[in-house]
Amino acid sequence: MSIVSWRNIEKAVGAPRARGSQVTRRIARAAAVLLGVALAAPALSQGAPPSGVDLSARDTRVRPGDDFFRYALGNWYSQAQIPPDQTEIGANAEVSAKVRAQLRVIIEDSARQADNPEKALIGGLFSSFMDAALIESLDAAPLRADLGRIAQVANKEQFLTLMASAPASFGASLFSLRIEPDGKSPTNVLYLGQAELGLGNPDYYLSTAFNTQKTAYRDYIARTLRLVGYAAPEANAAKIIDFETDIAKVSWSQTQRRDIVAAYNPMTVTALQALAPGISWRRYLDALGARGTPSIVLAEKSAVVAITDLYTHSTLAVLKAWQTFHTVDNASRFLSQRFVNNHFAFHGTVQMGVAELPARWKRGVDLIDDSLGQALGRLYVTAHFSPDVKKRMELMIADLRHAMARRIESLDWMSDMTKQQALAKLAAMRVFVGYPEAWRDYSGLSIDRKDLYGNIKRSMAFDWASQCATLGRPIDKGAWGPFDWKITPHTVDAFDIASENLIIFPAGILQPPFFDPQADAAHNYGAIGAVIGHEIIHGFDDQGRKIDASGQLRDWWTPADAMHFERRAEQLANQFDGYEVLPGLHVNGRQTLGENIADLGGLLVALDAYHSSLGAVQAPVLDGLSGDQRVFLGWAQRWRKKMRDDAQRKQIAMDTHAPAVIRTSAPLRDIDDWYTAFDVRPSDKNYLPPAQRVRIW
Ligand SMILES: [Zn+2]
């Protein structure tokens, strides 16, 4: 589930998690210099090291100042074919595919020979998923008990108790529940907010632009209800859509949900009861596993109040049909082929434009990743992550932090008082490279090779109980979790955990083309260097800046500095509002503001770090490219991505990240060094006069 909230993880690479394809193109590996330290050159290398730039990916007929994405990646883009079972192709998808193939070997080995308890869990769960014959013969039988429980519900009180089991089952809840550090104290607390809707985003229900999707969703609900023999599937589908449309009307938009101050509303359970009297909150919280918890934090406050009211006025018949549909929808991937196909036809084909269901083993690996990600990651790190890469990455991060400190010190719009606070926050920022210091303990979880459905339920219940056990307890600084458990060491992405002033670079992203210890320094600064810069800047973006060095919500800005920042951020948001991705479809500048601030600042910090790494030495010209040109090409080529239009539409609606094609070129327009590096002139399409270039960090 991807909930976009201030507490949630901020991703650097963005977009739906890539579920790759085979590698079609590799950025040339090369001997090089990283951090000014000469590395051993490969045997074939003579003289100057190659650049690390994929020269053939470029379309040199395009002027860099007209369209940098096309210039850097045009040839690749025009030839790239998205595999029929994928939403996208590109650098992230290719590395993810490579990682998935490596995970498959680890998992299949575990299934053959489990010489420790975690391998037994991994092997057992995978085997249960791969037993297609057994799954087929059971058909809808595993669902029977859960659907029976919904059918037996006779009143709203019973419905509430049933809904409380949602986090530990296939069921749905009208409210999202997350256990995370409290905004103003370093202990874990329950966040209660609006739930993710069936179509994902309120816009899908309310905007006429998504009418086709909404109709397809209604048909999908009807088909799903028919699969389990539910009465009047068409009529019930229409009622479920109406119910969810009413919820959409009172739900917060993605942009509103990003406001971390508005989304922090701590209150006692007694106060919640007075605010939203339609639900017996004590009963609900006790039933879901937060027994006796005296207080909670309301996230989307007005939405929770309004949804409670809708619940009060809904008939039990609608609520039961709604719960039945979502239970089947959530469980379908683990049932027989007719359920799998029905689920994929909507979630894969209609929503993302993907024609072909991925092979069973791919789905099996993804399942282990979701359910036992930390155990799997531990094995992955042992097999595929070198201590040397970790060491080099840590050096590079130190280098970037240093560059960020220099940038803060030299800002012309910020007072010394705010600068001191910013520097203190930067100094206190914690970093994980590769994997956590402490691993998650899976003991107590039981897996049965012959019971896939039960395995998933037990796994969800185990996850939720482990999270509830941390309620009221201080956050564990050595582990990733509990709410970052889904970040695994093999994830091809990087993260900022704002509430812990923590940034994470999993082992999965520390490989080419993101990070290549053999490649030219400029390439690495433009690729992984800008990723590091991006994550650091998240601590100082339009929301991160509201959090202090200890991860608490506290305003450490002078009013004048805050005003200067807001004005600059507003300018950047307006710039991004102007970018059109598909005909008539624009980026939402405010929804993506934090990411765009992080991209712009991250690239600037990476450039500074590259320049200081050169010392007094002039950057070498490699493949006819200057050092700065290679930094910008390293940045662009790491964004190599081609996505299906439907997936792109969903990203624009749901995601806080702008599409890769925009992220590649948009920040460059605000960077003076880019104009110099590529001789960008006023006659070029992407030229901005210096006065219009946004300068934040
Ligand atoms: Zn980010």
Side-chain angles (χ1 to χ4, degrees):
M1 185 178 299
S2 61
I3 297 161
V4 181
S5 85
W6 77 281
R7 285 290 166 184
N8 224 331
I9 48 191
E10 297 276 9
K11 302 162 79 183
V13 171
R17 193 184 293 188
R19 293 298 185 204
S21 62
Q22 74 275 36
V23 176
T24 56
R25 194 176 295 267
R26 290 285 306 266
I27 289 182
R29 293 177 67 93
V33 173
L34 176 67
L35 307 169
V37 181
L39 306 175
L44 291 177
S45 174
Q46 299 280 322
S51 67
V53 175
D54 184 349
L55 298 169
S56 66
R58 297 179 305 162
D59 181 348
T60 49
R61 293 166 305 177
V62 177
R63 275 187 64 77
D66 279 342
D67 183 342
F68 198 74
F69 183 87
R70 285 274 167 191
Y71 161 72
L73 292 162
N75 268 353
W76 174 81
Y77 194 85
S78 59
Q79 287 163 30
Q81 301 277 339
I82 303 171
D85 67 342
Q86 302 295 320
T87 56
E88 64 178 59
I89 188 170
N92 190 278
E94 286 157 15
V95 177
S96 295
K98 176 187 154 198
V99 168
R100 182 153 58 182
Q102 291 168 328
L103 295 175
R104 180 189 193 178
V105 173
I106 292 170
I107 292 167
E108 289 179 347
D109 282 352
S110 302
R112 267 193 300 275
Q113 193 186 11
D115 48 22
N116 72 42
E118 291 194 343
K119 283 189 186 174
L121 292 175
I122 289 170
L125 181 57
F126 188 68
S127 301
S128 71
F129 186 82
M130 294 306 286
D131 194 344
L134 176 62
I135 294 166
E136 212 50 40
S137 70
L138 291 171
D139 194 34
L143 269 175
R144 213 162 285 145
D146 284 335
L147 297 189
R149 259 188 292 279
I150 303 170
Q152 279 158 19
V153 165
N155 55 51
K156 289 264 180 87
E157 282 187 2
Q158 288 175 8
F159 187 84
L160 190 69
T161 307
L162 182 86
M163 195 167 75
S165 68
S169 72
F170 290 113
S173 173
L174 291 166
F175 307 101
S176 70
L177 300 159
R178 317 191 296 279
I179 292 168
E180 295 170 17
D182 184 286
K184 293 198 174 173
S185 96
T187 52
N188 289 308
V189 69
L190 181 73
Y191 278 74
L192 179 78
Q194 72 187 43
E196 211 69 23
L197 291 161
L199 272 169
N201 184 301
D203 289 351
Y204 277 87
Y205 295 85
L206 307 176
S207 156
T208 50
F210 293 116
N211 272 349
T212 319
Q213 296 259 351
K214 197 173 170 182
T215 307
Y217 181 50
R218 193 192 57 210
D219 295 345
Y220 170 63
I221 297 173
R223 281 200 313 274
T224 304
L225 290 175
R226 203 176 301 120
L227 280 183
V228 292
Y230 204 82
E234 273 79 19
N236 274 309
K239 285 179 194 162
I240 290 169
I241 289 272
D242 289 346
F243 179 53
E244 293 191 356
T245 304
D246 287 342
I247 296 174
K249 285 178 188 158
V250 299
S251 292
W252 289 19
S253 71
Q254 302 299 70
T255 301
Q256 288 174 299
R257 298 174 79 184
R258 286 191 64 245
D259 184 336
I260 64 175
V261 174
Y264 179 74
N265 305 286
M267 65 181 67
T268 62
V269 176
T270 314
L272 173 63
Q273 193 60 51
L275 182 73
I279 278 176
S280 168
W281 292 103
R282 182 75 272 162
R283 175 198 295 266
Y284 178 61
L285 294 171
D286 284 353
L288 67 83
R291 183 167 295 281
T293 191
S295 55
I296 54 111
V297 175
L298 265 194
E300 296 85 7
K301 186 175 171 182
S302 64
V304 170
V305 173
I307 292 167
T308 304
D309 199 47
L310 280 173
Y311 170 80
T312 316
H313 293 99
S314 300
T315 65
L316 197 58
V318 168
L319 291 170
K320 286 169 70 169
W322 173 83
Q323 185 65 261
T324 301
F325 160 67
H326 281 294
T327 300
V328 181
D329 178 42
N330 291 335
S332 285
R333 289 178 298 139
F334 313 107
L335 297 171
S336 62
Q337 206 58 41
R338 64 193 184 105
F339 287 94
V340 172
N341 291 345
N342 177 54
H343 181 272
F344 182 75
F346 178 72
H347 291 282
T349 306
V350 171
Q351 287 222 292
M352 307 298 271
V354 181
E356 201 175 278
L357 180 72
R360 180 168 281 276
W361 75 264
K362 292 184 183 176
R363 290 177 279 135
V365 171
D366 292 351
L367 168 64
I368 307 302
D369 179 22
D370 282 344
S371 305
L372 296 162
Q374 295 270 322
L376 184 58
R378 196 172 183 171
L379 296 169
Y380 171 82
V381 164
T382 309
H384 300 291
F385 188 53
S386 109
D388 186 50
V389 169
K390 183 172 162 76
K391 211 177 301 161
R392 282 160 194 272
M393 182 66 181
E394 282 165 351
L395 281 171
M396 196 158 182
I397 292 166
D399 201 23
L400 268 283
R401 285 170 83 120
H402 189 72
M404 178 64 183
R406 298 292 84 80
R407 286 199 77 83
I408 292 171
E409 284 162 359
S410 60
L411 289 176
D412 59 5
W413 56 268
M414 186 184 273
S415 70
D416 284 345
M417 226 159 84
T418 308
K419 281 182 185 176
Q420 289 315 313
Q421 298 276 336
L423 289 166
K425 177 166 183 179
L426 177 65
M429 193 174 271
R430 293 187 303 127
V431 184
F432 278 126
V433 175
Y435 47 87
E437 285 166 15
W439 293 96
R440 193 180 165 199
D441 181 3
Y442 286 92
S443 51
L445 174 61
S446 105
I447 294 292
D448 176 347
R449 281 182 180 237
K450 296 289 170 200
D451 182 15
L452 174 63
Y453 189 92
N455 286 342
I456 309 293
K457 277 187 76 170
R458 281 188 292 276
S459 169
M460 289 189 290
F462 178 79
D463 265 2
W464 182 242
S466 317
Q467 290 191 51
C468 288
T470 70
L471 262 181
R473 302 236 309 257
I475 56 173
D476 179 351
K477 293 206 163 182
W480 292 354
F483 90 105
D484 5 294
W485 277 333
K486 296 296 177 191
I487 302 172
T488 59
H490 48 270
T491 303
V492 187
D493 211 335
F495 302 89
D496 160 62
I497 312 293
S499 54
E500 299 179 45
N501 196 18
L502 166 68
I503 52 179
I504 297 178
F505 303 94
I509 198 172
L510 302 181
Q511 53 185 315
F514 304 103
F515 181 46
D516 186 349
Q518 305 300 313
D520 169 53
H523 166 82
N524 277 314
Y525 279 101
I528 198 72
V531 173
I532 299 167
H534 175 106
E535 300 308 333
I536 292 175
I537 296 283
H538 266 315
F540 305 91
D541 71 19
D542 64 314
Q543 301 305 319
R545 74 173 192 85
K546 300 172 183 171
I547 297 169
D548 69 11
S550 67
Q552 316 268 295
L553 264 178
R554 183 174 65 82
D555 187 359
W556 44 268
W557 293 61
T558 68
D561 290 334
M563 199 186 71
H564 285 306
F565 179 95
E566 293 293 342
R567 196 182 299 149
R568 287 155 194 268
E570 184 77 9
Q571 220 185 328
L572 191 66
N574 292 339
Q575 231 177 50
F576 274 78
D577 277 340
Y579 295 126
E580 192 177 38
V581 183
L582 295 167
L585 187 66
H586 284 252
V587 175
N588 180 333
R590 275 141 197 90
Q591 181 176 310
T592 57
L593 181 56
E595 296 301 329
N596 300 331
I597 291 173
D599 278 348
L600 173 57
L603 189 48
L604 284 165
V605 176
L607 267 171
D608 283 0
Y610 173 60
H611 293 156
S612 40
S613 79
L614 293 168
V617 180
Q618 179 104 23
V621 172
L622 304 175
D623 289 336
L625 297 162
S626 72
D628 279 13
Q629 286 179 331
R630 298 195 304 279
V631 172
F632 289 115
L633 282 163
W635 159 263
Q637 294 197 339
R638 150 240 172 170
W639 283 119
R640 185 160 50 88
K641 186 184 282 194
K642 187 175 195 174
M643 205 181 214
R644 293 186 191 284
D645 287 355
D646 288 319
Q648 196 82 95
R649 280 189 195 95
K650 186 155 190 181
Q651 186 186 356
I652 297 275
M654 301 284 298
D655 209 312
T656 54
H657 302 81
V661 59
I662 303 296
R663 294 180 76 178
T664 303
S665 49
L668 309 184
R669 304 179 71 205
D670 294 311
I671 297 179
D672 295 341
D673 285 337
W674 174 68
Y675 290 82
T676 316
F678 290 98
D679 185 27
V680 179
R681 298 168 187 180
S683 56
D684 290 332
K685 287 197 189 102
N686 274 327
Y687 178 89
L688 276 181
Q692 286 178 31
R693 295 175 199 164
V694 180
R695 297 165 204 281
I696 304 178
W697 291 106

